[in-house]
Amino acid sequence: MSEPRMTLHAEMLGHGADGERASIFLEGLLMAQVALVLARLGVPDIIAAGARPVAGLAAETGADPDALGRVLAAAAVYGLVRRDDAGRYVLTGTGELFRTDVEGSARSLAAGFLGPPMWTVGSNIAGVVATGKVNPGAPGGLYEYYGKHPEEARWFGRAMSRVTETMVAELAAAGFRPLASGRIVDLGGGRGTLLAYLLGADPGATGVVFDRAEALAEAPQVLADAGLTGRAELIPGDFLREVPPGDLYVLSQVLHNWDDERVRAVLGHCGQAGRPGHSIMVVELMLPDGPEQSPAHIMDLIMLTTVGGRERTRAQHEALMAEAGYTLVRDTPLARVLPWRILEFRQG
């Protein structure tokens, strides 16, 4: 007797492996929410210390026993956990990836990127395609939502930091160091993960993390852990309105949040506040020039539906920067994990 397929619709669809993949598309939204619940409650971390019955997990997480039991049963169908003969839950190989302490952990990504308001805007793709108008999930947009929901902002910040940590590991492996130095201002720098690396690679530099107040909540600890408390400062603010003075502005995975008009505004603020001869370092997933497939197209769709932004080609970045008076001086591909590119520009 063959094993049952691990989705609701696979047997109904038939067609073997193709039907299995098609059923994942049908249930992907539900799968994501099951992963979100387990990640936020820390269930994989608890189970990793020993098999647990539903009652024990509910007591340790503060969840409703009946609801949690039903979520765990679905998680077992999806292959995140397994129920043993004693009725206790243990982790599968896939479930192990949602532990906090495992290499390559998916926990912060699930906890930050699968909750509201990302869930709300992700469900509106059909409407965006039909009208071209983005519903950002709350009046005033995605970031106003996070300003009013600091706990959600922390989950999102941890997810973004997880992505940045991966990028920083790639920077370190490549021995990357910016061409410019001095006062490094990381615009939208969140928890300070990237700035910590840049200051570590350039002992003579000082730094600023400039972001919304809720995004900076965990930055003091990150910078303290890196031994940078005396070399880095935190300044709350909105770079769509103004930016602090600096010698090097870092825009890492920031410009893709905005349409061209707002990108021009950010670059204009840098031009006004920047010290003479200042530089801008842009880090983004770069769209290919040709028809080839790229993970950047997935991120482009996320930007379209969440904030009305977009990924761009190198030529598109160069054109926007040239309008603002900046010249490209170095292009560093960093594409082993994702198609990141580091474009360094200098004023004039």
Side-chain angles (χ1 to χ4, degrees):
M1 182 177 177
S2 61
E3 290 190 6
R5 297 185 189 168
M6 295 294 100
T7 65
L8 182 63
H9 298 91
E11 292 292 350
M12 182 190 308
L13 296 173
H15 296 282
D18 287 335
E20 187 80 43
R21 281 190 289 272
S23 69
I24 290 173
F25 283 102
L26 296 176
E27 295 173 45
L29 293 176
L30 183 59
M31 291 178 175
Q33 291 301 286
V34 169
L36 170 68
V37 171
L38 267 59
R40 289 206 174 177
L41 292 179
V43 168
D45 288 347
I46 297 171
I47 296 178
R52 296 287 201 283
V54 170
L57 284 168
E60 291 185 67
T61 61
D64 176 80
D66 178 66
L68 179 60
R70 294 159 80 171
V71 168
L72 286 167
V77 175
Y78 291 143
L80 293 175
V81 295
R82 179 176 56 82
R83 195 176 184 185
D84 65 16
D85 293 338
R88 301 171 304 176
Y89 281 98
V90 297
L91 289 175
T92 63
T94 302
E96 288 279 342
L97 292 177
F98 290 85
R99 289 171 49 188
T100 303
D101 59 352
V102 72
E103 183 178 357
S105 173
R107 184 190 179 189
S108 61
L109 299 178
F113 289 155
L114 299 181
M118 303 294 281
W119 174 264
T120 302
V121 296
S123 67
N124 195 44
I125 292 177
V128 173
V129 171
T131 66
K133 298 178 180 179
V134 175
N135 172 9
L142 188 71
Y143 296 107
E144 181 177 307
Y145 178 94
Y146 285 131
K148 294 178 179 178
H149 300 83
E151 184 59 29
E152 287 295 333
R154 281 190 285 273
W155 283 118
F156 180 75
R158 292 165 193 159
M160 285 301 304
S161 186
R162 171 71 178 83
V163 175
T164 304
E165 286 165 3
T166 301
M167 184 183 69
V168 163
E170 294 299 294
L171 291 173
F176 177 84
R177 176 174 171 169
L179 293 174
S181 184
R183 192 185 198 217
I184 302 174
V185 181
D186 190 352
L187 300 177
R191 300 173 82 232
T193 304
L194 178 56
L195 182 65
Y197 169 78
L198 295 175
L199 293 181
D202 186 356
T206 60
V208 175
V209 184
F210 185 76
D211 210 331
R212 294 174 65 99
E214 67 274 7
L216 296 173
E218 295 183 340
Q221 189 61 54
V222 171
L223 296 172
D225 289 346
L228 297 169
T229 302
R231 291 176 56 200
E233 58 181 312
L234 307 176
I235 301 179
D238 180 357
F239 52 65
L240 292 175
R241 298 178 181 274
E242 61 180 353
V243 302
D247 298 295
L248 170 61
Y249 292 101
V250 177
L251 289 160
S252 176
Q253 302 170 109
V254 166
L255 296 184
H256 71 168
N257 286 287
W258 311 106
D259 57 22
D260 289 355
E261 180 181 353
R262 287 182 174 83
V263 167
R264 293 186 183 101
V266 174
L267 298 180
H269 296 322
C270 293
Q272 293 167 6
R275 293 169 177 170
H278 66 272
S279 299
I280 293 180
M281 186 178 96
V282 174
V283 186
E284 293 286 3
L285 300 185
M286 213 64 58
L287 287 175
D289 294 317
E292 61 266 33
Q293 296 178 356
S294 169
H297 290 117
I298 305 298
M299 184 60 75
D300 186 46
L301 182 59
I302 294 172
M303 292 300 102
L304 167 66
T305 55
T306 55
V307 288
R310 65 187 315 122
E311 300 300 328
R312 297 175 173 87
T313 64
R314 170 180 149 167
Q316 289 171 325
H317 279 289
E318 281 193 87
L320 286 167
M321 298 296 293
E323 283 183 38
Y326 295 93
T327 302
L328 182 68
V329 293
R330 187 168 67 172
D331 176 0
T332 305
L334 201 72
R336 188 182 69 87
V337 177
L338 286 170
W340 282 304
R341 294 271 282 277
I342 306 170
L343 305 180
E344 294 173 269
F345 298 87
R346 186 169 292 134
Q347 189 183 50

